[in-house]
Amino acid sequence: MVHIRASLAGKVIWVTGASSGIGECIAYCLAESGCKLVLSARRKEELDRVKKTCLESAKCKVREEDILVLPLDLVDFQSHSKKVQEVLEYFYRVDILVNNAGKSQRALWMDIELEVDRFMFEVDVLGPVSLTRALLPHMIERKQGQIAVVSSLAGKSGVSGMRSYCGAKHAVQGYFDSLRIEVASHNIDVNIICPGPVFSNARLHACTGKMGEEAGVQMEGFEKRMTSERCAYLSCVSIANNQYESWISPHPPLFLIYVVQMLPDLSKWLMRKIGAQKIMNLREGR
């Protein structure tokens, strides 16, 4: 297995959703590995905070000019070409794009407005697709590049109470699996990263069934979830080793995905049993 620093040091890596959660921790991990970074998200003040922490924690491995803060609204599709140009004018190249930005969602299937589905699809699918499409001509011209996209184990199987999120992540799998085939001849690689449950603010800011509403539910310390730091580190290991797809999760969710892949009939029975408790939690506002 290739060490992160040995593989990625000196590379220009663009991370979206870098202001919090997994994306923020990916930025710290890459800075420690001596990468040049483009940090994108909507909130500039949070990106400035992440940049400052990168410089403090990475000490001498990255300089002030090695990190570009580039505010980006993923659903402002018309701005993506301009943002790509800004990055290329600053660093002259992008070696790796990490499509991490996205949003979660919690609500029962019948309680979800179609506008929520549309919004989730724009944020979690069309945003990464549009940004990737804007950057690809540069990578094709250079005859090298790497596209990483953070999907989810929810992109491998249905999950109760997450209709829009599951649908979006299944779409991510299809879009980027197709891209991998088409750009192989240009020496461009595609990595799909599928985290399981991770401690973050994702549930707090998750969509509900109504447009513009957030779940506002904090994760509990007793839940069996991976830390954002551990997930980010393993994501960077996956990128450094150019793994076409990685499942990053503690058990039992990781075990369940193996069952989904290898024993589909059993998995449907198990998911119904697990889903019953989740549906009850949602109805009780937990």
Side-chain angles (χ1 to χ4, degrees):
M1 182 174 287
V2 176
H3 189 271
I4 298 174
R5 182 170 178 79
S7 175
L8 301 181
K11 291 195 173 182
V12 177
I13 304 181
W14 188 351
V15 183
T16 69
S19 62
S20 63
I22 297 171
E24 177 180 348
C25 294
I26 285 176
Y28 298 149
C29 186
L30 294 176
E32 286 280 350
S33 300
C35 301
K36 300 178 188 297
L37 297 174
V38 182
L39 305 178
S40 287
R42 288 176 301 167
R43 298 171 295 170
K44 184 181 184 302
E45 65 280 4
E46 288 301 305
L47 292 174
D48 288 335
R49 175 186 59 80
V50 173
K51 176 178 178 177
K52 181 180 177 183
T53 305
C54 283
L55 293 171
E56 290 172 350
S57 63
K59 289 181 185 177
C60 302
K61 295 174 186 173
V62 291
R63 300 165 298 173
E64 176 89 20
E65 59 268 30
D66 290 333
I67 303 178
L68 171 64
V69 166
L70 187 73
L72 170 71
D73 185 348
L74 209 56
V75 298
D76 183 7
F77 307 121
Q78 301 303 316
S79 72
H80 292 176
S81 293
K82 181 176 180 293
K83 295 294 183 180
V84 167
Q85 193 57 40
E86 287 182 48
V87 174
L88 296 181
E89 287 174 1
Y90 190 89
F91 281 123
Y92 303 105
R93 74 181 198 275
V94 175
D95 297 302
I96 303 173
L97 171 63
V98 181
N99 286 299
N100 166 75
K103 200 168 179 70
S104 188
Q105 180 255 353
R106 284 171 61 85
L108 294 175
W109 207 97
M110 286 296 292
D111 295 338
I112 300 170
E113 298 171 351
L114 196 60
E115 282 301 309
V116 174
D117 290 300
R118 185 175 288 112
F119 173 73
M120 288 290 296
F121 202 88
E122 288 189 347
V123 173
D124 285 6
V125 186
L126 295 182
V129 166
S130 173
L131 187 61
T132 300
R133 187 172 183 273
L135 181 61
L136 270 176
H138 163 70
M139 291 185 171
I140 291 171
E141 183 180 357
R142 291 183 68 215
K143 285 287 182 181
Q144 64 182 53
Q146 193 171 342
I147 304 292
V149 60
V150 178
S151 179
S152 169
L153 290 188
K156 308 297 293 183
S157 173
V159 181
S160 60
M162 302 176 77
R163 166 182 118 182
S164 310
Y165 184 73
C166 280
K169 292 304 185 181
H170 274 70
V172 164
Q173 299 281 142
Y175 272 93
F176 285 89
D177 270 337
S178 298
L179 176 64
R180 180 187 296 112
I181 298 165
E182 293 191 19
V183 296
S185 62
H186 299 289
N187 195 34
I188 298 170
D189 297 301
V190 175
N191 318 122
I192 301 178
I193 300 167
C194 301
V198 173
F199 280 110
S200 70
N201 287 330
R203 192 188 293 173
L204 185 68
H205 300 297
C207 292
T208 64
K210 298 185 182 303
M211 191 61 196
E213 185 177 84
E214 292 189 340
V217 178
Q218 290 280 8
M219 294 179 183
E220 303 290 345
F222 60 80
E223 295 182 51
K224 296 199 73 172
R225 292 177 175 268
M226 186 176 286
T227 64
S228 291
E229 292 81 2
R230 178 64 175 165
C231 182
Y233 171 75
L234 293 175
S235 298
C236 291
V237 169
S238 174
I239 293 167
N241 286 273
N242 197 16
Q243 296 178 323
Y244 73 90
E245 184 169 300
S246 306
W247 301 347
I248 300 174
S249 176
H251 292 298
L254 183 58
F255 170 75
L256 283 172
I257 290 301
Y258 277 99
V259 174
V260 166
Q261 295 293 297
M262 307 302 294
L263 299 167
D265 287 346
L266 176 60
S267 75
K268 301 306 179 195
W269 179 82
L270 283 172
M271 288 299 186
R272 284 199 298 270
K273 293 292 185 182
I274 295 167
Q277 181 60 52
K278 193 165 186 179
I279 290 166
M280 186 180 300
N281 290 343
L282 281 169
R283 285 174 175 162
E284 293 175 358
R286 289 186 281 144

